[in-house]
Amino acid sequence: MRSSLRIIPPIALLAAAALSADEGMWTFDNPPTKLIQQKYNFTLTQQWLDHVRFSSARLNDGGSGSFVSAHGLLLTNHHVARGQLQKSSTPEHDYIKNGFYASDYSQEMKAPDLEVNVLMSFENVTTRVQAAAKGAASPEAQFQAKQKIIADIERESLEKTKLRSDVVTLYQGGEYWLYRYKKYTDARIVFAPEQQAAFFGGDPDNFTYPRYDLDMALFRIYENGKPIDTPNYLKWNSKGAADGELVFVSGHPGSTSRLDTMAQLEFERDVVLPIQLRLLNDRLQVLRRFSASSEEHARQASSRIFGLENSLKAFKGELQGLQDKHTMDTKSADEERFQTAVNNKAELKAKFGNAWKEIAEATRKSQTRIKEQFFHSMDSELGTKAVQIVQWVAEVKKPDGDRLPGYHDAQLESMKFEMLSPAPVYRDLEIARMTGALELDLKELGPNEPFLKALLGGKTPAAFAKEMIGGTKLDDPKVRKALLDGGEAAVNASTDPLIVIARRVDPMRREQIKWFQTNVESIEERAGEQLGQARFAVYGKNAYPDATFTLRLSYGTVKGYPMNGTIAPPITTFYGLYDRAASFGGKGDFELMPRWQKGKTTLDLATPFNFVTTNDIIGGNSGSPVINKAGEIVGLVFDGNIESLVGDYVFDIETNRTVAVHTAGMTEALKKLYNADRLLSEVLGK
Amino acid sequence: MRSSLRIIPPIALLAAAALSADEGMWTFDNPPTKLIQQKYNFTLTQQWLDHVRFSSARLNDGGSGSFVSAHGLLLTNHHVARGQLQKSSTPEHDYIKNGFYASDYSQEMKAPDLEVNVLMSFENVTTRVQAAAKGAASPEAQFQAKQKIIADIERESLEKTKLRSDVVTLYQGGEYWLYRYKKYTDARIVFAPEQQAAFFGGDPDNFTYPRYDLDMALFRIYENGKPIDTPNYLKWNSKGAADGELVFVSGHPGSTSRLDTMAQLEFERDVVLPIQLRLLNDRLQVLRRFSASSEEHARQASSRIFGLENSLKAFKGELQGLQDKHTMDTKSADEERFQTAVNNKAELKAKFGNAWKEIAEATRKSQTRIKEQFFHSMDSELGTKAVQIVQWVAEVKKPDGDRLPGYHDAQLESMKFEMLSPAPVYRDLEIARMTGALELDLKELGPNEPFLKALLGGKTPAAFAKEMIGGTKLDDPKVRKALLDGGEAAVNASTDPLIVIARRVDPMRREQIKWFQTNVESIEERAGEQLGQARFAVYGKNAYPDATFTLRLSYGTVKGYPMNGTIAPPITTFYGLYDRAASFGGKGDFELMPRWQKGKTTLDLATPFNFVTTNDIIGGNSGSPVINKAGEIVGLVFDGNIESLVGDYVFDIETNRTVAVHTAGMTEALKKLYNADRLLSEVLGK
């Protein structure tokens, strides 16, 4: 499933020359109108684009969604809603295991800490950002100047419009845009099926196809205690998508690295991904051991295990992609062509010709300290919050432009919403995670590494974690709020063990952040920006920028593909669910929920259930609507197939597929299995 | 599907040291009793082995089968029976399209030219064969001496026992065995489903899994106009195989090249397979064009198209296997180890050390004329028969030991049965095939190639084919019989255009056969025998020989496998058939037969339909029974998965799987869809 969101500095831009059919995650200011007109004889109108944009939402847990009624009903994936379901669950009410259905408005259940954004406007601020950075003496000065102007632009916009205002770097710094979002923080859970129905096939089937998952959930957005009006919503087309049909996906792809340089790809392949795989494997083992100790522990850890398995499978696929000779040869040939084009023009060569070398040097430098970025972790909710509290009180005193990334005025409100979340914290789980993470840190960096020495102060990870989590009061949101409100004085006076330890290592963390800014990020950012401009110069702007968890439009068709010697079908049906369950004896990941067992005879088993399209998506697109030409919803994106895992780096229309739940399948299940007549009436406008 | 049978000289032998779990196609004189005892704690008794052997049959169309009742009822695959169904069909009765069911004995329909063999005894004749070849002056003299002694042994045995008697070369010539078969030539068709039910999913799903095919057919064996008694038959277990169960396959794998030398594998990869793929692709195009011209033409060509598509997919898979670096590295490392072991012992080195070099030289030599073996073809039933008639009358005059391979006394009866087959010959199809083949021959060899010049005599392929097929009377079996009976005089006097032309090029064909014997086959055979003996010396005889279309036993368990990012299930169900049909809109290869559409509600859809096992099989095993410990039939082998196509060269238990029809599925379909109560009663012993 696609949702694990990894933010990578967007320093890549795609060559128009190399565009595959249906490729691209396009910004709404530069939609692929011409390409769609040519290939599909369909015209994207401004009205269509606006309708789709206002119907689309970003869920800041790391996914996408869309409004499907005039009363704020928001459709997304079960696996995007999963975190909120987990946080709402208790030993008595396990909404992950059993699902949730609000039979009327009063039953709709507030999600603990979900922020939802709708993109209201966007504005090109490239000139202002680039002007501010002009003439800076060093890459780092340039970096700082840009950070400052961006903070200014965001703050001014927030003050003026009251809308969440983010400056987004596109085309590797070729452009900067101010995105303004309407922000909602009162999302209520309306419907979620049982996890086993949403995620039938479990980790084995994750990122694969054919699939049979009801990976859907419904929220309703409230403001001032009332459902919001959403005049722009996607009409529910219960016939759903047909084989060969032109369809669109409007959502928030998290990040891609399609035009990283070869040096960066090799660094990713040889250094970063192997580290990440080791780390994820270890985290997973820790949690599996924890889960095995009791049923309640298993419940507490289940969402994290889900997330780790998901990331592990995704990263393995990415690594395989980078280890594929054909992929790397293609990338290498692309880079050579681009380099030759730059070097063949004296003016371009002088301005941009050095960028590849600078990036290669920065990655080499990065490698000397890269492990610190992964193995200085206490891997716990409260440990993370302690670090944030200590940083927060120091940063907010400074002029906005001088602060650490994340602590600018325009960002504080969303961050605070998260930091003060009332979601439950499980101390046993916290101790298990922190112990496991520190044991891995020691294994990777050794017992004499200065940061770990300072952190642990001679204690074993287990003793340390027990002392920290046993002694802290940070699990109480009121305690966290008091510290934030009390500022540096309160934090300095705190004897909470987690705050004490976060204070102790704070200078070392700051040195680390600074070192990477100076030696890696600022270099890569400047060189990346040069490459972005070089691409404009060589190829023009007939292209899409790498994904940045901002709203994008992709287009494609419902279409099967060659798979393992045969053809994967465009669409699956309920029959296939019952086949796969029976094939595995209804055990484990292939267990049938009692509701599905009992309701089998009421279903039309030939109803389309899941389907695949050629749309170009990536993690973060989970929960995006699949939209037809009429602007109606015909499906719900929930995954990419295994062949798409290399999509972080390259798009191959032959086999790369978006996997979605079909609206016909959702309609049939809601009606016959979940008796969700209230919701069906609402989406069907009855 | 596995049935395309390609006879490759068996010059390979497997190292016991390198055996994977469950690997091997074992002869019944050397069953893997100890391995099975160790791994599965089950003892193969002689009684069990005899029961299985006498219940197993070879179908000389290129497949396997087993007796499933005491009255000669023989179960095999639809795709093995397909050729006979095709030959029995007419424009009025298309048994391929509509299937066939004999509601009583009198309806059972004689197959035109199917010979069925049951292995009655086997005897080690190595000493006699090797003694005869000892002291021969050259590889060719050795080759001739062996041919002669083998012909003697076969003839003596036939005369003495009246059983079909074949000397089989095993372990690359490390051993020679005399196999005696009871031979049946009156096989009658009892049941076959519609082709679309037997081969649901068509060419796309061929060689893949999950699968949903009722790939079964039933013959009954007659002698003297009466069904034979088969006291040894496999009891029908309608519960069928269960996940994890130990199962056996008894059948006739055609050929493998598991221990070809690297020189041979590279020759196969770089020379032979590319030629075969070009040839098959071209043949297929020719037949597709022919099929498109009328419905009746499509009916006539359908079995050949099926066979060509099957071979094409298989060879593509084999080529991919040989192009896989990991596979070739493994093979190369094996060879190095073996070579080192030989070279480290002076005695072995002196006797066998040169063999690899000799084989490499022979393949190089072979390459200079290899294309003649593929592109001197008239690709037609009658063209082939004309060549055989001309050769036959010249060969049978000679002393048995001096004849061309295939024309020895012990072989004549089976060959004559085939040559005089009453199966219909379609002149339009013959002309299309001959024209297409000759056009390809010219393209590959050029218009000045001596053989083609002599053959065509300046005519275009189209004109030549029309003249030949238009003018010949060889389509009448009586005409063919008269020529065989009339001997050289009759053949020399014949003015039949195909006989005239076959006479004209006969000397060139003989020169070609002789050249390959002298320069390639005799060298490879001697060197292969040396390697066979060297393997015995280095590794002992705890191994199985390469496949030779003789009876073999393999063992394994019912087991899913990792597939394309997820897990393929051990078993599929009828649900899956209906899913796949609905997924593709019930079109083309995924059409549902009316009987299956109508009968859907009567079926228990959760019934196991197809399943996979770890047994080691290869083309020729099609139609083999899957047998449980009790010696009952629990399934019917019909295919290998796509991952097994490299099985010609290497067996990988991780993903190599046998694909079989489940007896529960066959029982359910026979009962509910085909109302074949008579047959069910018979196999269930009611």
Side-chain angles (χ1 to χ4, degrees):
Chain A
M1 304 210 174
R2 302 210 151 265
S3 100
S4 92
L5 183 64
R6 182 175 47 149
I7 302 295
I8 291 178
I11 37 173
L13 162 72
L14 201 94
L19 271 192
S20 279
D22 299 358
E23 176 170 349
M25 306 159 178
W26 302 82
T27 54
F28 275 66
D29 69 275
N30 182 36
T33 313
K34 218 165 126 189
L35 289 171
I36 295 170
Q37 182 68 56
Q38 279 165 1
K39 185 166 177 196
Y40 295 106
N41 194 26
F42 174 72
T43 308
L44 287 180
T45 64
Q46 193 54 48
Q47 193 191 2
W48 191 98
L49 288 165
D50 290 347
H51 163 70
V52 165
R53 173 162 59 91
F54 290 123
S55 302
S56 302
R58 180 169 76 178
L59 283 74
N60 286 1
D61 281 3
S64 302
S66 66
F67 291 109
V68 290
S69 91
H71 310 296
L73 200 61
L74 182 77
L75 178 69
T76 187
N77 293 139
H78 179 277
H79 81 272
V80 171
R82 202 188 192 293
Q84 299 297 327
L85 289 165
Q86 173 94 42
K87 290 171 188 169
S88 304
S89 291
T90 61
E92 293 72 39
H93 295 285
D94 187 344
Y95 300 122
I96 301 279
K97 190 173 165 194
N98 303 316
F100 178 82
Y101 176 54
S103 55
D104 60 33
Y105 281 98
S106 73
Q107 304 287 312
E108 297 181 351
M109 177 173 65
K110 189 164 177 353
D113 55 10
L114 176 62
E115 180 183 319
V116 173
N117 298 153
V118 176
L119 181 60
M120 304 307 287
S121 69
F122 38 83
E123 194 182 318
N124 191 335
V125 295
T126 311
T127 317
R128 199 172 156 199
V129 172
Q130 287 181 346
K134 209 160 196 171
S138 68
E140 199 179 1
Q142 204 177 75
F143 185 85
Q144 298 293 0
K146 271 202 231 153
Q147 293 274 91
K148 188 171 173 333
I149 186 73
I150 285 173
D152 289 347
I153 294 170
E154 290 177 347
R155 193 180 55 252
E156 286 166 18
S157 169
L158 173 65
E159 280 164 6
K160 197 172 110 194
T161 62
K162 310 290 173 221
L163 293 172
R164 171 172 173 150
S165 299
D166 300 348
V167 170
V168 184
T169 306
L170 298 177
Y171 304 101
Q172 294 172 281
E175 290 185 355
Y176 294 88
W177 285 75
L178 170 62
Y179 276 43
R180 293 196 186 90
Y181 299 96
K182 176 78 181 149
K183 185 176 86 177
Y184 301 101
T185 52
D186 185 357
R188 304 200 187 170
I189 305 168
V190 177
F191 169 76
E194 312 87 335
Q195 153 91 359
Q196 179 59 15
F199 194 49
F200 179 82
D203 186 50
D205 278 5
N206 195 9
F207 289 114
T208 74
Y209 182 80
R211 267 305 250 305
Y212 314 94
D213 286 1
L214 190 70
D215 193 353
M216 69 175 292
L218 288 159
F219 287 100
R220 193 185 303 280
I221 305 301
Y222 282 67
E223 244 183 352
N224 306 317
K226 291 219 165 69
I228 61 168
D229 285 334
T230 38
N232 280 293
Y233 69 92
L234 303 178
K235 220 182 124 192
W236 188 271
N237 180 320
S238 50
K239 229 184 122 209
D243 187 16
E245 184 174 354
L246 172 63
V247 289
F248 302 88
V249 169
S250 164
H252 296 79
S255 87
T256 50
S257 314
R258 297 247 170 113
L259 282 168
D260 274 18
T261 67
M262 287 305 289
Q264 287 170 314
L265 294 180
E266 284 161 9
F267 185 61
E268 194 73 10
R269 179 192 66 192
D270 301 334
V271 180
V272 179
L273 281 170
I275 289 177
Q276 281 178 313
L277 291 178
R278 286 209 302 280
L279 186 143
L280 290 171
N281 264 317
D282 197 87
R283 296 276 193 273
L284 203 48
Q285 280 175 34
V286 166
L287 289 188
R288 284 191 182 138
R289 277 197 303 271
F290 178 77
S291 284
S293 57
S294 82
E295 216 173 295
E296 171 57 11
H297 280 178
R299 188 191 69 77
Q300 292 170 5
S302 89
S303 269
R304 284 200 67 77
I305 287 179
F306 168 86
L308 288 169
E309 284 179 340
N310 189 62
S311 297
L312 197 58
K313 202 163 179 182
F315 287 171
K316 275 186 193 163
E318 288 181 19
L319 183 56
Q320 256 171 25
L322 289 182
Q323 285 169 338
D324 178 67
K325 195 177 169 315
H326 175 72
T327 303
M328 288 302 260
D329 285 352
T330 309
K331 298 300 265 181
S332 176
D334 281 355
E335 180 164 297
E336 250 183 67
R337 261 194 306 278
F338 182 28
Q339 255 177 329
T340 306
V342 167
N343 289 332
N344 280 349
K345 285 202 173 173
E347 190 205 0
L348 296 183
K349 187 179 175 183
K351 272 172 87 175
F352 309 127
N354 239 7
W356 287 277
K357 211 178 117 234
E358 281 174 13
I359 288 177
E361 274 165 16
T363 59
R364 262 195 298 282
K365 195 122 193 198
S366 171
Q367 194 169 347
T368 61
R369 293 189 61 178
I370 186 78
K371 283 177 119 188
E372 295 173 33
Q373 296 210 328
F374 293 92
F375 301 113
H376 281 180
S377 164
M378 292 192 287
D379 190 42
S380 57
E381 302 304 315
L382 299 180
T384 306
K385 290 204 159 71
V387 170
Q388 287 172 331
I389 289 168
V390 169
Q391 286 180 345
W392 173 288
V393 295
E395 292 306 304
V396 295
K397 289 186 342 189
K398 301 180 187 167
D400 194 4
D402 295 346
R403 298 179 196 161
L404 285 182
Y407 294 95
H408 298 297
D409 276 348
Q411 302 167 322
L412 292 181
E413 207 180 326
S414 291
M415 189 171 183
K416 202 171 191 172
F417 177 67
E418 228 180 87
M419 285 170 74
L420 301 183
S421 162
V425 174
Y426 304 105
R427 282 182 200 261
D428 286 357
L429 177 58
E430 292 278 288
I431 292 173
R433 286 175 59 190
M434 190 184 280
T435 306
L438 288 169
E439 283 170 351
L440 180 64
D441 294 350
L442 284 176
K443 202 173 123 196
E444 289 280 347
L445 300 176
N448 295 319
E449 201 266 348
F451 180 92
L452 292 177
K453 265 184 106 160
L455 186 77
L456 289 170
K459 298 189 186 89
T460 66
F464 176 83
K466 212 168 162 188
E467 187 184 317
M468 289 295 125
I469 302 297
T472 188
K473 300 215 155 49
L474 291 183
D475 57 325
D476 183 349
K478 287 196 295 290
V479 172
R480 301 197 291 270
K481 183 160 191 303
L483 286 166
L484 291 183
D485 292 348
E488 261 191 324
V491 167
N492 286 339
S494 170
T495 56
D496 189 286
L498 272 176
I499 294 292
V500 171
I501 206 76
R503 276 199 320 255
R504 193 196 301 164
V505 294
D506 186 55
M508 299 175 89
R509 287 199 186 278
R510 288 175 181 278
E511 184 278 334
Q512 193 192 107
I513 293 168
K514 182 81 185 159
W515 186 90
F516 274 96
Q517 270 185 10
T518 310
N519 294 287
V520 183
E521 288 161 45
S522 63
I523 313 279
E524 286 199 337
E525 190 169 301
R526 193 183 64 171
E529 190 173 307
Q530 288 174 358
L531 289 182
Q533 290 166 4
R535 275 191 189 271
F536 283 155
V538 172
Y539 298 115
K541 199 203 144 179
N542 197 8
Y544 65 93
D546 257 311
T548 50
F549 203 35
T550 53
L551 189 66
R552 301 296 176 90
L553 185 72
S554 81
Y555 65 99
T557 58
V558 179
K559 195 175 177 188
Y561 59 97
M563 187 199 76
N564 214 45
T566 182
I567 328 169
I571 285 168
T572 68
T573 73
F574 285 121
Y575 275 123
L577 172 82
Y578 291 101
D579 177 50
R580 205 149 165 80
S583 291
F584 284 102
K587 284 176 294 193
D589 293 318
F590 304 96
E591 192 189 338
L592 265 190
M593 286 285 91
R595 185 196 305 273
W596 287 72
Q597 186 62 59
K598 232 169 44 196
K600 186 169 65 180
T601 52
T602 68
L603 290 174
D604 175 357
L605 294 178
T607 308
F609 190 9
N610 289 175
F611 67 108
V612 277
T613 78
T614 60
N615 294 66
D616 188 4
I617 62 159
I618 202 86
N621 261 122
S622 279
S624 300
V626 182
I627 302 167
N628 66 11
K629 291 192 281 189
E632 299 165 340
I633 183 166
V634 291
L636 169 62
V637 171
F638 74 99
D639 210 355
N641 62 354
I642 197 90
E643 293 85 350
S644 77
L645 286 177
V646 67
D648 201 0
Y649 311 105
V650 69
F651 177 81
D652 177 2
I653 196 175
E654 274 307 293
T655 55
N656 186 320
R657 289 294 178 276
T658 288
V659 185
V661 196
H662 200 273
T663 44
M666 289 191 274
T667 308
E668 182 80 358
L670 285 174
K671 190 167 160 184
K672 306 254 183 90
L673 299 179
Y674 294 93
N675 306 313
D677 299 324
R678 173 174 92 99
L679 300 178
L680 273 177
S681 300
E682 183 174 345
V683 299
L684 294 171
K686 282 176 187 160
Chain B
M1 304 213 175
R2 302 208 152 268
S3 99
S4 91
L5 182 64
R6 183 176 44 149
I7 301 296
I8 291 177
I11 37 173
L13 164 71
L14 202 95
L19 273 192
S20 279
D22 297 359
E23 177 170 349
M25 304 159 179
W26 302 83
T27 53
F28 274 66
D29 69 274
N30 183 36
T33 313
K34 217 165 128 190
L35 290 170
I36 295 170
Q37 182 67 54
Q38 279 166 1
K39 186 166 177 196
Y40 295 106
N41 194 28
F42 174 71
T43 308
L44 287 181
T45 63
Q46 193 55 47
Q47 192 192 3
W48 191 99
L49 288 165
D50 289 346
H51 163 70
V52 165
R53 173 162 60 92
F54 290 123
S55 303
S56 301
R58 180 169 77 177
L59 283 74
N60 286 0
D61 281 4
S64 303
S66 64
F67 291 109
V68 291
S69 91
H71 310 296
L73 201 60
L74 182 78
L75 178 69
T76 186
N77 293 140
H78 180 277
H79 81 273
V80 171
R82 201 187 193 293
Q84 300 297 328
L85 289 165
Q86 173 93 41
K87 291 171 189 169
S88 305
S89 292
T90 61
E92 293 72 40
H93 294 286
D94 188 343
Y95 301 121
I96 301 279
K97 191 173 165 195
N98 303 315
F100 177 83
Y101 177 54
S103 55
D104 58 35
Y105 283 97
S106 72
Q107 304 286 313
E108 298 181 353
M109 178 172 64
K110 188 163 178 358
D113 55 9
L114 176 62
E115 179 183 320
V116 173
N117 298 153
V118 176
L119 182 59
M120 304 308 287
S121 69
F122 38 83
E123 192 181 320
N124 192 334
V125 295
T126 311
T127 316
R128 198 172 157 197
V129 173
Q130 288 181 345
K134 211 160 194 171
S138 67
E140 200 180 1
Q142 203 175 76
F143 184 86
Q144 297 293 358
K146 269 200 230 154
Q147 294 275 91
K148 187 170 172 336
I149 186 72
I150 286 172
D152 289 347
I153 294 171
E154 290 177 347
R155 192 181 54 252
E156 286 165 19
S157 170
L158 173 65
E159 281 165 6
K160 195 174 111 192
T161 63
K162 310 292 171 216
L163 293 171
R164 173 173 172 150
S165 299
D166 300 348
V167 170
V168 185
T169 305
L170 298 177
Y171 304 102
Q172 294 171 280
E175 290 185 355
Y176 294 86
W177 285 75
L178 170 62
Y179 276 42
R180 291 197 188 90
Y181 298 96
K182 175 79 181 151
K183 186 176 84 177
Y184 300 101
T185 53
D186 185 357
R188 304 201 185 169
I189 306 170
V190 177
F191 169 77
E194 313 86 336
Q195 153 92 358
Q196 179 58 17
F199 194 49
F200 179 82
D203 186 50
D205 279 6
N206 196 9
F207 289 113
T208 75
Y209 182 82
R211 268 304 250 306
Y212 314 94
D213 285 2
L214 189 69
D215 193 353
M216 70 176 293
L218 287 159
F219 288 99
R220 191 186 304 280
I221 305 301
Y222 283 67
E223 244 182 351
N224 307 317
K226 293 219 164 71
I228 60 167
D229 285 333
T230 38
N232 280 292
Y233 69 92
L234 303 177
K235 220 181 124 193
W236 189 271
N237 181 321
S238 50
K239 232 185 121 206
D243 186 16
E245 185 175 353
L246 171 64
V247 288
F248 301 88
V249 169
S250 163
H252 297 78
S255 87
T256 49
S257 314
R258 298 249 170 112
L259 281 169
D260 274 17
T261 67
M262 288 305 289
Q264 287 170 313
L265 293 180
E266 284 160 9
F267 184 60
E268 193 74 9
R269 179 191 67 194
D270 301 334
V271 180
V272 179
L273 281 169
I275 288 178
Q276 281 178 312
L277 291 177
R278 287 208 303 281
L279 186 143
L280 290 170
N281 264 317
D282 198 88
R283 297 276 193 273
L284 203 49
Q285 280 174 35
V286 166
L287 288 188
R288 283 190 182 137
R289 278 197 303 271
F290 178 76
S291 284
S293 57
S294 82
E295 216 172 296
E296 171 57 10
H297 281 177
R299 188 191 70 76
Q300 291 170 6
S302 89
S303 270
R304 283 201 68 78
I305 287 179
F306 167 87
L308 289 169
E309 283 178 340
N310 188 62
S311 298
L312 197 58
K313 202 163 179 182
F315 287 172
K316 275 185 191 162
E318 288 181 20
L319 183 56
Q320 257 170 26
L322 289 183
Q323 285 168 339
D324 179 67
K325 196 177 167 313
H326 176 71
T327 302
M328 288 302 260
D329 286 351
T330 309
K331 297 299 265 181
S332 176
D334 281 354
E335 180 163 297
E336 250 182 67
R337 258 195 307 277
F338 182 29
Q339 253 175 331
T340 307
V342 168
N343 289 332
N344 280 348
K345 285 202 173 171
E347 189 204 1
L348 296 183
K349 189 178 176 186
K351 272 171 86 175
F352 309 128
N354 239 7
W356 287 277
K357 211 178 118 234
E358 280 174 14
I359 288 177
E361 273 164 18
T363 60
R364 262 195 299 281
K365 195 120 193 202
S366 170
Q367 195 169 346
T368 61
R369 295 188 62 177
I370 186 80
K371 282 178 119 188
E372 295 173 33
Q373 297 212 324
F374 293 92
F375 301 113
H376 281 180
S377 166
M378 294 191 286
D379 190 41
S380 56
E381 302 304 315
L382 299 181
T384 305
K385 289 204 160 71
V387 169
Q388 288 173 331
I389 289 168
V390 169
Q391 287 180 345
W392 173 289
V393 295
E395 293 305 306
V396 295
K397 288 188 340 188
K398 301 180 189 169
D400 194 5
D402 295 345
R403 298 179 196 162
L404 286 182
Y407 294 95
H408 297 297
D409 276 346
Q411 301 168 320
L412 291 181
E413 207 181 327
S414 291
M415 190 172 182
K416 201 169 189 174
F417 178 67
E418 227 180 86
M419 286 171 74
L420 301 183
S421 163
V425 174
Y426 304 105
R427 281 180 200 264
D428 287 357
L429 176 58
E430 292 278 289
I431 292 173
R433 286 174 61 189
M434 191 184 280
T435 307
L438 288 169
E439 282 170 352
L440 180 64
D441 294 348
L442 284 176
K443 203 174 123 195
E444 289 280 347
L445 299 176
N448 295 319
E449 201 266 347
F451 180 92
L452 292 178
K453 265 184 107 162
L455 187 76
L456 289 169
K459 301 189 184 86
T460 65
F464 175 81
K466 214 169 158 184
E467 188 184 316
M468 290 295 124
I469 303 296
T472 188
K473 300 214 155 48
L474 291 183
D475 57 326
D476 183 349
K478 286 195 295 289
V479 172
R480 301 198 291 271
K481 184 160 190 303
L483 286 166
L484 290 184
D485 292 348
E488 258 191 327
V491 167
N492 286 340
S494 171
T495 56
D496 189 286
L498 271 176
I499 294 293
V500 172
I501 206 77
R503 277 197 321 253
R504 192 197 300 162
V505 295
D506 186 56
M508 300 175 87
R509 284 198 188 279
R510 286 174 182 277
E511 183 278 332
Q512 196 193 104
I513 292 168
K514 182 82 186 158
W515 187 89
F516 274 96
Q517 270 185 9
T518 310
N519 294 288
V520 183
E521 286 159 47
S522 63
I523 313 280
E524 286 199 338
E525 190 170 301
R526 194 183 63 171
E529 190 174 305
Q530 287 174 358
L531 290 181
Q533 289 166 4
R535 273 190 191 272
F536 283 154
V538 171
Y539 298 115
K541 200 203 145 179
N542 198 6
Y544 64 93
D546 257 311
T548 50
F549 202 36
T550 52
L551 188 66
R552 301 296 176 90
L553 184 73
S554 81
Y555 64 100
T557 58
V558 179
K559 195 175 178 188
Y561 59 97
M563 187 199 76
N564 215 44
T566 182
I567 327 169
I571 285 167
T572 68
T573 73
F574 285 121
Y575 276 124
L577 171 84
Y578 290 101
D579 177 50
R580 202 147 169 82
S583 292
F584 284 102
K587 283 177 295 193
D589 293 318
F590 304 97
E591 193 188 337
L592 264 190
M593 286 287 90
R595 186 195 304 275
W596 288 71
Q597 186 62 59
K598 232 168 44 197
K600 186 169 64 182
T601 51
T602 68
L603 290 173
D604 174 358
L605 295 177
T607 307
F609 191 8
N610 290 174
F611 66 108
V612 277
T613 78
T614 60
N615 294 66
D616 188 2
I617 62 159
I618 203 84
N621 262 121
S622 280
S624 300
V626 182
I627 302 167
N628 66 10
K629 292 193 280 189
E632 300 165 340
I633 183 165
V634 291
L636 169 62
V637 171
F638 74 100
D639 209 356
N641 62 355
I642 197 89
E643 293 85 350
S644 78
L645 286 177
V646 68
D648 201 359
Y649 311 106
V650 70
F651 177 82
D652 177 3
I653 197 175
E654 273 308 293
T655 55
N656 185 320
R657 289 293 179 276
T658 287
V659 185
V661 196
H662 201 273
T663 43
M666 289 190 273
T667 308
E668 182 79 358
L670 284 175
K671 188 168 163 184
K672 307 257 183 87
L673 299 179
Y674 294 92
N675 306 313
D677 299 323
R678 172 175 91 100
L679 300 178
L680 273 177
S681 299
E682 183 174 345
V683 300
L684 294 171
K686 282 176 189 162

